[in-house]
Amino acid sequence: EFSQLVSAGALVTNNIELYPNPTNGVLNISGVERGNRIQVYNATGAAIRDINVQSNLEVVSLDGEPSGMYLIVISNENQLLGRYKAIKK
């Protein structure tokens, strides 16, 4: 027996895209809004970038960082908008 689904209305829909992924060092993040926050973490969980979004296309540089996987966390004042993985070649 299935019960009624009550949490679907709480889902956040957004059109955030990260490209190119994998990247050589510059990551474009589109679909964000001014005032959003982008946090970038390395594979060990250390925060390496904390960006206050200024436009709907934000460019994040991973230059100077080693190759590997990075976690991108995007949020606004009230909620988490998404978690994304990016690979730097």
Side-chain angles (χ1 to χ4, degrees):
E1 182 176 321
F2 294 100
S3 62
Q4 181 179 3
L5 179 64
V6 293
S7 63
L11 295 176
V12 176
T13 58
N14 57 47
N15 295 318
I16 296 173
E17 294 182 21
L18 282 71
Y19 59 93
N21 194 8
T23 181
N24 287 322
V26 175
L27 192 61
N28 299 300
I29 303 175
S30 66
V32 290
E33 296 179 5
R34 184 179 176 94
N36 286 164
R37 183 179 186 188
I38 298 173
Q39 295 168 288
V40 182
Y41 298 90
N42 64 18
T44 63
I48 59 167
R49 303 280 189 280
D50 193 344
I51 300 164
N52 185 16
V53 175
Q54 299 300 313
S55 69
N56 65 351
L57 175 62
E58 198 67 38
V59 177
V60 177
S61 173
L62 295 176
D63 288 338
E65 299 296 334
S67 297
M69 185 177 75
Y70 292 85
L71 178 65
I72 315 296
V73 178
I74 302 173
S75 59
N76 64 19
E77 291 179 4
N78 303 315
Q79 64 191 22
L80 175 69
L81 300 177
R83 289 186 187 117
Y84 305 90
K85 293 176 185 170
I87 304 294
K88 181 180 178 192
K89 295 189 224 177

Coordinates of all heavy atoms in Angstrom, one line a residue:
E1 N 0.8 -1.2 0.0 CA 0.0 0.0 0.0 C 0.9 1.2 0.0 O 1.9 1.3 0.7 CB -0.9 0.0 1.2 CG -1.8 1.2 1.3 CD -2.8 1.1 2.5 OE1 -3.2 -0.1 2.8 OE2 -3.0 2.1 3.1
F2 N 0.6 2.2 -0.8 CA 1.3 3.4 -0.9 C 0.6 4.6 -0.3 O -0.7 4.7 -0.4 CB 1.6 3.8 -2.4 CG 2.5 2.8 -3.1 CD1 2.0 1.8 -3.9 CD2 3.8 2.9 -2.9 CE1 2.8 0.9 -4.5 CE2 4.7 2.0 -3.5 CZ 4.1 1.0 -4.3
S3 N 1.3 5.5 0.4 CA 0.6 6.6 1.0 C 0.8 7.8 0.1 O 1.6 7.8 -0.9 CB 1.2 6.9 2.4 OG 2.6 7.2 2.2
Q4 N 0.1 8.9 0.4 CA 0.2 10.1 -0.5 C 1.5 10.7 -0.4 O 2.1 10.8 0.7 CB -0.9 11.1 0.0 CG -1.0 12.3 -0.8 CD -2.0 13.3 -0.2 OE1 -2.7 13.0 0.7 NE2 -2.2 14.4 -0.9
L5 N 2.0 11.2 -1.5 CA 3.3 11.9 -1.5 C 3.1 13.3 -1.1 O 2.3 14.1 -1.8 CB 3.9 11.8 -3.0 CG 5.2 12.5 -3.2 CD1 6.3 11.9 -2.3 CD2 5.6 12.5 -4.6
V6 N 3.7 13.8 -0.1 CA 3.4 15.1 0.4 C 4.6 16.1 0.3 O 4.5 17.3 0.5 CB 3.0 15.1 1.9 CG1 1.6 14.4 2.1 CG2 4.0 14.4 2.8
S7 N 5.8 15.6 0.0 CA 7.0 16.4 -0.1 C 7.3 16.9 -1.4 O 8.3 17.7 -1.6 CB 8.2 15.7 0.6 OG 8.5 14.6 -0.2
A8 N 6.7 16.5 -2.5 CA 7.0 16.9 -3.8 C 7.0 18.5 -4.0 O 7.7 19.0 -4.8 CB 6.2 16.2 -4.9
G9 N 6.0 19.1 -3.3 CA 5.9 20.5 -3.5 C 7.1 21.3 -2.9 O 7.3 22.5 -3.2
A10 N 7.9 20.6 -2.0 CA 9.0 21.3 -1.4 C 10.3 21.2 -2.2 O 11.3 21.8 -1.9 CB 9.3 20.6 0.0
L11 N 10.2 20.5 -3.4 CA 11.4 20.4 -4.2 C 11.7 21.7 -4.9 O 10.8 22.4 -5.3 CB 11.2 19.3 -5.3 CG 11.1 17.9 -4.8 CD1 10.8 17.0 -6.0 CD2 12.3 17.5 -4.1
V12 N 13.0 22.1 -4.9 CA 13.4 23.3 -5.6 C 13.8 23.0 -7.0 O 14.6 22.1 -7.2 CB 14.6 24.0 -4.8 CG1 15.1 25.2 -5.6 CG2 14.2 24.3 -3.4
T13 N 13.2 23.7 -7.9 CA 13.6 23.5 -9.3 C 14.4 24.7 -9.7 O 14.0 25.8 -9.5 CB 12.3 23.3 -10.2 OG1 11.5 24.5 -10.1 CG2 11.5 22.1 -9.8
N14 N 15.5 24.4 -10.3 CA 16.4 25.5 -10.8 C 17.1 25.0 -12.1 O 17.0 23.8 -12.4 CB 17.4 25.9 -9.8 CG 18.3 24.8 -9.3 OD1 18.8 24.0 -10.1 ND2 18.4 24.6 -8.0
N15 N 17.6 25.9 -12.8 CA 18.3 25.6 -14.1 C 19.8 25.9 -14.0 O 20.3 26.5 -14.9 CB 17.6 26.4 -15.2 CG 16.2 26.0 -15.4 OD1 15.9 24.9 -15.4 ND2 15.3 27.0 -15.6
I16 N 20.4 25.5 -12.9 CA 21.8 25.8 -12.7 C 22.6 24.8 -13.5 O 22.3 23.6 -13.4 CB 22.1 25.7 -11.2 CG1 21.4 26.8 -10.4 CG2 23.7 25.8 -11.0 CD1 21.5 26.7 -8.9
E17 N 23.6 25.3 -14.2 CA 24.5 24.4 -15.0 C 25.9 24.8 -14.8 O 26.2 25.9 -14.6 CB 24.2 24.6 -16.5 CG 22.8 24.1 -16.9 CD 22.6 24.2 -18.4 OE1 23.5 24.3 -19.2 OE2 21.4 24.3 -18.8
L18 N 26.7 23.7 -14.7 CA 28.2 23.9 -14.6 C 28.8 23.4 -15.8 O 28.5 22.3 -16.2 CB 28.7 23.1 -13.4 CG 28.5 23.7 -12.0 CD1 27.1 23.7 -11.6 CD2 29.4 23.0 -11.0
Y19 N 29.7 24.2 -16.4 CA 30.4 23.7 -17.6 C 31.7 24.5 -17.8 O 31.8 25.6 -17.3 CB 29.5 23.9 -18.9 CG 29.0 25.3 -19.1 CD1 29.7 26.2 -19.9 CD2 27.9 25.8 -18.4 CE1 29.3 27.5 -20.1 CE2 27.5 27.1 -18.6 CZ 28.2 27.9 -19.5 OH 27.8 29.3 -19.7
P20 N 32.7 24.0 -18.5 CA 32.8 22.6 -18.9 C 33.1 21.7 -17.7 O 33.8 22.2 -16.8 CB 33.9 22.6 -19.9 CG 34.8 23.8 -19.5 CD 33.8 24.8 -18.9
N21 N 32.7 20.5 -17.8 CA 32.9 19.6 -16.7 C 33.2 18.2 -17.3 O 32.3 17.6 -17.9 CB 31.7 19.5 -15.7 CG 32.1 18.8 -14.5 OD1 33.2 18.5 -14.2 ND2 31.0 18.6 -13.7
P22 N 34.4 17.8 -17.3 CA 35.6 18.2 -16.6 C 36.1 19.5 -17.2 O 35.9 19.9 -18.3 CB 36.6 17.1 -16.7 CG 36.2 16.3 -17.9 CD 34.7 16.5 -18.0
T23 N 36.9 20.2 -16.3 CA 37.4 21.5 -16.7 C 39.0 21.5 -16.6 O 39.5 20.7 -16.0 CB 36.9 22.6 -15.8 OG1 37.4 23.9 -16.2 CG2 37.2 22.4 -14.3
N24 N 39.5 22.5 -17.3 CA 41.0 22.7 -17.2 C 41.4 23.7 -16.2 O 42.5 24.0 -16.0 CB 41.6 23.1 -18.6 CG 41.6 21.9 -19.6 OD1 41.8 20.8 -19.2 ND2 41.3 22.2 -20.8
G25 N 40.4 24.4 -15.6 CA 40.7 25.3 -14.6 C 39.7 26.4 -14.4 O 39.6 27.1 -13.4
V26 N 38.8 26.7 -15.4 CA 37.8 27.7 -15.3 C 36.4 27.0 -15.4 O 36.2 26.3 -16.4 CB 38.0 28.8 -16.4 CG1 36.8 29.8 -16.4 CG2 39.3 29.5 -16.2
L27 N 35.6 27.2 -14.5 CA 34.3 26.6 -14.4 C 33.2 27.7 -14.5 O 33.2 28.7 -13.7 CB 34.1 25.9 -13.1 CG 32.9 24.9 -12.9 CD1 33.0 23.8 -13.9 CD2 33.0 24.4 -11.5
N28 N 32.3 27.6 -15.5 CA 31.2 28.6 -15.7 C 30.0 28.0 -15.0 O 29.7 26.8 -15.1 CB 30.9 28.8 -17.1 CG 32.1 29.3 -17.9 OD1 32.5 30.4 -17.6 ND2 32.6 28.6 -18.9
I29 N 29.3 28.8 -14.2 CA 28.1 28.4 -13.5 C 27.0 29.4 -13.9 O 27.0 30.5 -13.6 CB 28.3 28.4 -11.9 CG1 29.5 27.5 -11.6 CG2 27.0 28.0 -11.3 CD1 29.8 27.6 -10.1
S30 N 26.0 28.8 -14.6 CA 24.9 29.6 -15.1 C 23.6 29.3 -14.4 O 23.5 28.2 -13.9 CB 24.7 29.5 -16.6 OG 24.3 28.2 -16.9
G31 N 22.7 30.2 -14.4 CA 21.4 30.0 -13.8 C 21.4 30.4 -12.3 O 20.4 30.2 -11.6
V32 N 22.4 30.9 -11.8 CA 22.4 31.4 -10.4 C 21.9 32.9 -10.4 O 21.8 33.5 -11.4 CB 23.9 31.4 -9.8 CG1 24.3 30.0 -9.5 CG2 24.9 32.1 -10.7
E33 N 21.5 33.3 -9.2 CA 21.0 34.7 -9.1 C 21.9 35.6 -8.2 O 22.6 35.0 -7.3 CB 19.6 34.7 -8.5 CG 18.6 33.9 -9.4 CD 17.2 33.9 -8.8 OE1 17.0 34.5 -7.7 OE2 16.3 33.2 -9.4
R34 N 21.9 36.8 -8.5 CA 22.6 37.8 -7.7 C 22.3 37.6 -6.2 O 21.1 37.5 -5.9 CB 22.3 39.2 -8.1 CG 23.1 40.3 -7.4 CD 22.7 41.6 -8.0 NE 23.4 42.7 -7.2 CZ 24.5 43.2 -7.6 NH1 25.1 42.8 -8.7 NH2 25.1 44.1 -6.9
G35 N 23.3 37.5 -5.4 CA 23.0 37.3 -3.9 C 23.2 35.8 -3.5 O 23.3 35.5 -2.3
N36 N 23.1 34.9 -4.5 CA 23.4 33.5 -4.2 C 24.8 33.3 -3.7 O 25.6 34.2 -3.9 CB 23.2 32.6 -5.4 CG 21.7 32.4 -5.8 OD1 21.4 31.9 -6.9 ND2 20.8 32.7 -4.9
R37 N 25.1 32.2 -3.1 CA 26.4 31.9 -2.5 C 26.9 30.6 -3.2 O 26.2 29.7 -3.2 CB 26.3 31.8 -1.0 CG 27.6 31.5 -0.4 CD 27.4 31.4 1.1 NE 28.7 31.3 1.8 CZ 28.8 31.0 3.1 NH1 27.7 30.8 3.8 NH2 30.0 30.9 3.7
I38 N 28.1 30.7 -3.7 CA 28.8 29.5 -4.3 C 30.0 29.2 -3.4 O 30.9 30.0 -3.2 CB 29.3 29.8 -5.7 CG1 28.1 30.1 -6.6 CG2 30.1 28.6 -6.2 CD1 28.5 30.5 -8.0
Q39 N 30.0 28.0 -2.9 CA 31.1 27.5 -2.1 C 31.8 26.3 -2.8 O 31.1 25.4 -3.3 CB 30.6 27.1 -0.7 CG 30.1 28.2 0.1 CD 29.4 27.7 1.4 OE1 28.3 27.2 1.3 NE2 30.0 27.9 2.5
V40 N 33.1 26.3 -2.8 CA 33.8 25.3 -3.5 C 34.7 24.6 -2.5 O 35.4 25.2 -1.7 CB 34.7 25.8 -4.6 CG1 35.4 24.7 -5.4 CG2 33.9 26.7 -5.6
Y41 N 34.6 23.2 -2.4 CA 35.3 22.4 -1.5 C 36.2 21.5 -2.3 O 35.8 20.9 -3.3 CB 34.4 21.6 -0.6 CG 33.5 22.5 0.3 CD1 32.3 22.9 -0.2 CD2 33.9 22.9 1.5 CE1 31.4 23.7 0.6 CE2 33.1 23.7 2.3 CZ 31.9 24.1 1.9 OH 31.1 24.9 2.6
N42 N 37.4 21.2 -1.8 CA 38.3 20.2 -2.4 C 37.9 18.8 -1.9 O 37.0 18.7 -1.1 CB 39.8 20.6 -2.2 CG 40.2 20.5 -0.8 OD1 39.6 19.9 0.1 ND2 41.4 21.1 -0.5
A43 N 38.7 17.8 -2.4 CA 38.4 16.4 -2.1 C 38.5 16.1 -0.6 O 37.9 15.1 -0.1 CB 39.2 15.5 -2.9
T44 N 39.3 16.9 0.2 CA 39.4 16.6 1.6 C 38.4 17.4 2.4 O 38.3 17.3 3.6 CB 40.8 17.0 2.1 OG1 41.0 18.4 1.9 CG2 41.9 16.2 1.4
G45 N 37.5 18.2 1.8 CA 36.5 18.9 2.4 C 36.8 20.3 2.9 O 36.0 21.0 3.5
A46 N 38.0 20.7 2.5 CA 38.4 22.1 2.8 C 37.8 23.1 1.9 O 37.8 22.9 0.7 CB 39.9 22.2 2.8
A47 N 37.2 24.2 2.4 CA 36.7 25.2 1.6 C 37.8 26.0 0.9 O 38.7 26.5 1.6 CB 35.8 26.2 2.4
I48 N 37.7 26.1 -0.4 CA 38.8 26.8 -1.2 C 38.3 28.1 -1.8 O 39.0 29.0 -2.2 CB 39.5 25.9 -2.2 CG1 38.5 25.4 -3.2 CG2 40.2 24.8 -1.5 CD1 39.1 24.7 -4.4
R49 N 36.9 28.2 -2.0 CA 36.3 29.4 -2.6 C 35.0 29.7 -1.9 O 34.3 28.7 -1.6 CB 36.1 29.3 -4.1 CG 37.3 29.0 -4.9 CD 38.1 30.2 -5.2 NE 39.1 29.9 -6.2 CZ 40.3 29.3 -6.0 NH1 40.6 28.9 -4.8 NH2 41.2 29.2 -7.0
D50 N 34.7 30.9 -1.7 CA 33.4 31.3 -1.1 C 33.0 32.6 -1.9 O 33.6 33.7 -1.7 CB 33.5 31.6 0.4 CG 32.1 31.7 1.0 OD1 31.1 31.9 0.3 OD2 32.0 31.5 2.2
I51 N 32.0 32.5 -2.8 CA 31.7 33.5 -3.7 C 30.3 34.1 -3.5 O 29.4 33.3 -3.5 CB 31.9 33.0 -5.2 CG1 33.3 32.5 -5.4 CG2 31.5 34.1 -6.2 CD1 33.5 31.7 -6.6
N52 N 30.2 35.4 -3.5 CA 28.9 36.0 -3.5 C 28.6 36.3 -5.0 O 29.2 37.1 -5.6 CB 28.9 37.3 -2.6 CG 27.6 37.9 -2.5 OD1 26.5 37.3 -2.8 ND2 27.6 39.2 -2.1
V53 N 27.5 35.7 -5.5 CA 27.2 35.8 -6.9 C 26.8 37.2 -7.3 O 26.0 37.9 -6.6 CB 26.0 34.8 -7.2 CG1 25.6 35.0 -8.7 CG2 26.5 33.4 -7.0
Q54 N 27.3 37.7 -8.4 CA 27.0 39.1 -8.9 C 26.2 39.1 -10.1 O 25.6 40.1 -10.5 CB 28.4 39.8 -9.1 CG 29.2 40.0 -7.9 CD 28.5 40.7 -6.8 OE1 27.9 41.8 -7.0 NE2 28.6 40.2 -5.5
S55 N 26.1 38.0 -10.9 CA 25.3 37.9 -12.1 C 24.9 36.5 -12.3 O 25.2 35.6 -11.6 CB 26.2 38.4 -13.3 OG 27.2 37.5 -13.6
N56 N 24.0 36.3 -13.3 CA 23.5 34.9 -13.6 C 24.5 34.0 -14.3 O 24.2 32.8 -14.5 CB 22.2 35.0 -14.4 CG 22.4 35.6 -15.8 OD1 23.4 36.0 -16.1 ND2 21.3 35.5 -16.6
L57 N 25.7 34.5 -14.6 CA 26.8 33.6 -15.1 C 28.0 34.0 -14.2 O 28.5 35.1 -14.3 CB 27.0 33.9 -16.5 CG 28.2 33.1 -17.1 CD1 28.0 31.6 -17.0 CD2 28.5 33.5 -18.5
E58 N 28.4 33.1 -13.4 CA 29.5 33.3 -12.5 C 30.7 32.4 -13.0 O 30.5 31.2 -13.4 CB 29.2 32.9 -11.1 CG 30.1 33.5 -10.1 CD 30.1 35.0 -9.9 OE1 29.0 35.6 -10.0 OE2 31.1 35.5 -9.7
V59 N 31.9 33.0 -13.1 CA 33.1 32.2 -13.5 C 33.9 31.9 -12.3 O 34.3 32.8 -11.5 CB 33.9 33.0 -14.5 CG1 35.1 32.3 -14.9 CG2 33.0 33.3 -15.8
V60 N 34.2 30.6 -12.0 CA 35.0 30.2 -10.9 C 36.3 29.7 -11.4 O 36.3 28.7 -12.2 CB 34.2 29.1 -10.1 CG1 35.1 28.6 -8.9 CG2 32.9 29.7 -9.6
S61 N 37.4 30.2 -10.9 CA 38.7 29.8 -11.3 C 39.2 28.7 -10.3 O 39.2 28.9 -9.1 CB 39.7 30.9 -11.4 OG 41.0 30.5 -11.6
L62 N 39.7 27.6 -10.9 CA 40.3 26.6 -10.1 C 41.8 26.6 -10.4 O 42.5 25.6 -10.0 CB 39.7 25.2 -10.3 CG 38.3 25.0 -9.9 CD1 37.7 23.7 -10.3 CD2 38.1 25.3 -8.4
D63 N 42.3 27.6 -11.0 CA 43.7 27.7 -11.3 C 44.5 27.7 -10.0 O 44.1 28.3 -9.0 CB 44.0 29.0 -12.1 CG 43.6 29.0 -13.5 OD1 43.4 27.8 -14.1 OD2 43.4 30.0 -14.1
G64 N 45.6 27.0 -10.0 CA 46.4 26.9 -8.8 C 46.0 25.8 -7.9 O 46.6 25.5 -6.9
E65 N 44.9 25.2 -8.2 CA 44.4 24.0 -7.4 C 44.8 22.7 -8.2 O 44.9 22.7 -9.4 CB 42.9 24.1 -7.3 CG 42.4 25.3 -6.6 CD 42.8 25.4 -5.1 OE1 43.1 24.3 -4.5 OE2 42.9 26.5 -4.6
P66 N 45.0 21.6 -7.4 CA 45.4 20.4 -8.1 C 44.3 19.7 -8.8 O 43.1 20.0 -8.6 CB 45.9 19.5 -6.9 CG 45.2 20.1 -5.7 CD 45.0 21.6 -6.0
S67 N 44.6 18.8 -9.7 CA 43.6 18.0 -10.4 C 42.8 17.2 -9.4 O 43.4 16.8 -8.4 CB 44.3 17.1 -11.5 OG 44.9 17.9 -12.4
G68 N 41.6 17.0 -9.7 CA 40.8 16.1 -8.8 C 39.3 16.6 -8.8 O 38.9 17.3 -9.7
M69 N 38.6 16.0 -7.8 CA 37.1 16.3 -7.8 C 36.9 17.5 -6.8 O 37.5 17.5 -5.7 CB 36.4 15.1 -7.3 CG 34.9 15.3 -7.3 SD 34.0 13.8 -6.9 CE 34.3 13.8 -5.1
Y70 N 35.9 18.3 -7.1 CA 35.6 19.4 -6.2 C 34.0 19.4 -6.1 O 33.3 19.1 -7.0 CB 36.0 20.8 -6.9 CG 37.5 20.9 -6.9 CD1 38.2 20.4 -7.9 CD2 38.2 21.5 -5.9 CE1 39.6 20.4 -7.9 CE2 39.5 21.6 -5.8 CZ 40.3 21.1 -6.9 OH 41.6 21.1 -6.9
L71 N 33.6 19.8 -4.9 CA 32.2 19.9 -4.6 C 31.8 21.3 -4.6 O 32.4 22.2 -4.0 CB 31.9 19.3 -3.2 CG 30.4 19.4 -2.7 CD1 29.5 18.5 -3.6 CD2 30.3 19.0 -1.2
I72 N 30.8 21.6 -5.4 CA 30.2 23.0 -5.5 C 28.9 23.0 -4.8 O 28.0 22.3 -5.2 CB 30.0 23.4 -7.0 CG1 31.2 22.9 -7.9 CG2 29.7 24.8 -7.2 CD1 32.5 23.6 -7.6
V73 N 28.8 23.9 -3.8 CA 27.5 24.0 -3.1 C 26.9 25.4 -3.4 O 27.6 26.4 -3.2 CB 27.7 23.9 -1.6 CG1 26.4 24.1 -0.8 CG2 28.3 22.5 -1.3
I74 N 25.7 25.5 -3.9 CA 25.0 26.7 -4.2 C 23.8 26.9 -3.3 O 23.0 26.0 -3.2 CB 24.6 26.8 -5.7 CG1 25.9 26.5 -6.5 CG2 23.9 28.1 -6.0 CD1 25.6 26.4 -8.0
S75 N 23.7 28.1 -2.7 CA 22.6 28.3 -1.8 C 22.2 29.8 -1.9 O 22.9 30.6 -2.4 CB 23.0 28.0 -0.3 OG 24.2 28.8 0.1
N76 N 21.0 30.1 -1.3 CA 20.6 31.5 -1.1 C 20.5 31.7 0.4 O 21.0 30.8 1.2 CB 19.3 31.8 -1.9 CG 18.1 31.0 -1.4 OD1 18.1 30.5 -0.3 ND2 17.1 30.9 -2.3
E77 N 19.9 32.7 0.8 CA 19.8 33.0 2.2 C 19.1 32.0 3.0 O 19.3 31.8 4.2 CB 19.2 34.4 2.5 CG 20.0 35.6 2.0 CD 19.3 36.9 2.2 OE1 18.2 36.9 2.8 OE2 19.8 37.9 1.8
N78 N 18.1 31.3 2.4 CA 17.2 30.5 3.1 C 17.4 29.0 2.9 O 16.9 28.2 3.7 CB 15.7 30.8 2.7 CG 15.4 32.3 3.0 OD1 15.8 32.8 4.1 ND2 14.8 32.9 2.1
Q79 N 18.0 28.6 1.7 CA 18.0 27.2 1.4 C 19.1 26.8 0.5 O 19.7 27.6 -0.2 CB 16.6 26.7 0.8 CG 16.4 27.4 -0.5 CD 14.9 27.1 -1.0 OE1 14.1 26.9 -0.2 NE2 14.7 27.2 -2.3
L80 N 19.4 25.5 0.5 CA 20.4 24.9 -0.4 C 19.7 24.8 -1.8 O 18.6 24.2 -1.9 CB 20.7 23.5 0.1 CG 21.7 22.7 -0.7 CD1 23.1 23.3 -0.8 CD2 21.7 21.3 -0.2
L81 N 20.4 25.3 -2.8 CA 19.8 25.2 -4.2 C 20.4 24.0 -4.9 O 19.8 23.5 -5.9 CB 20.1 26.5 -4.9 CG 19.5 27.7 -4.3 CD1 20.0 29.0 -5.1 CD2 18.0 27.7 -4.2
G82 N 21.6 23.5 -4.5 CA 22.1 22.4 -5.2 C 23.6 22.1 -4.8 O 24.3 23.0 -4.3
R83 N 23.9 20.8 -5.0 CA 25.3 20.3 -4.8 C 25.7 19.7 -6.0 O 25.0 18.9 -6.6 CB 25.4 19.3 -3.6 CG 25.1 19.8 -2.3 CD 25.4 18.7 -1.3 NE 25.0 19.1 0.1 CZ 24.0 18.6 0.8 NH1 23.4 17.5 0.3 NH2 23.8 19.0 2.0
Y84 N 26.9 20.1 -6.5 CA 27.4 19.6 -7.8 C 28.8 19.1 -7.6 O 29.6 19.7 -6.8 CB 27.3 20.7 -8.8 CG 25.9 21.3 -9.0 CD1 25.5 22.4 -8.2 CD2 25.0 20.7 -9.9 CE1 24.3 22.9 -8.3 CE2 23.7 21.2 -10.0 CZ 23.4 22.3 -9.2 OH 22.1 22.8 -9.3
K85 N 29.2 18.2 -8.5 CA 30.6 17.7 -8.5 C 31.2 18.2 -9.8 O 30.6 18.2 -10.8 CB 30.7 16.2 -8.5 CG 30.2 15.6 -7.1 CD 30.2 14.1 -7.2 CE 29.6 13.6 -5.9 NZ 29.4 12.1 -6.0
A86 N 32.5 18.7 -9.7 CA 33.2 19.2 -10.8 C 34.6 18.5 -10.8 O 35.1 18.3 -9.7 CB 33.4 20.7 -10.8
I87 N 35.1 18.1 -11.9 CA 36.4 17.5 -12.1 C 37.3 18.5 -12.7 O 37.0 19.0 -13.8 CB 36.3 16.2 -12.9 CG1 35.2 15.2 -12.3 CG2 37.7 15.5 -13.0 CD1 35.6 14.7 -11.0
K88 N 38.5 18.6 -12.1 CA 39.6 19.4 -12.8 C 40.6 18.4 -13.3 O 41.1 17.6 -12.6 CB 40.2 20.4 -11.8 CG 41.3 21.2 -12.5 CD 42.0 22.2 -11.6 CE 43.1 22.9 -12.4 NZ 44.0 23.6 -11.6
K89 N 40.8 18.6 -14.6 CA 41.8 17.7 -15.3 C 43.2 18.0 -14.8 O 43.6 19.1 -14.5 CB 41.7 17.8 -16.8 CG 40.4 17.3 -17.4 CD 40.6 17.3 -18.9 CE 39.4 17.9 -19.6 NZ 39.5 17.9 -21.0

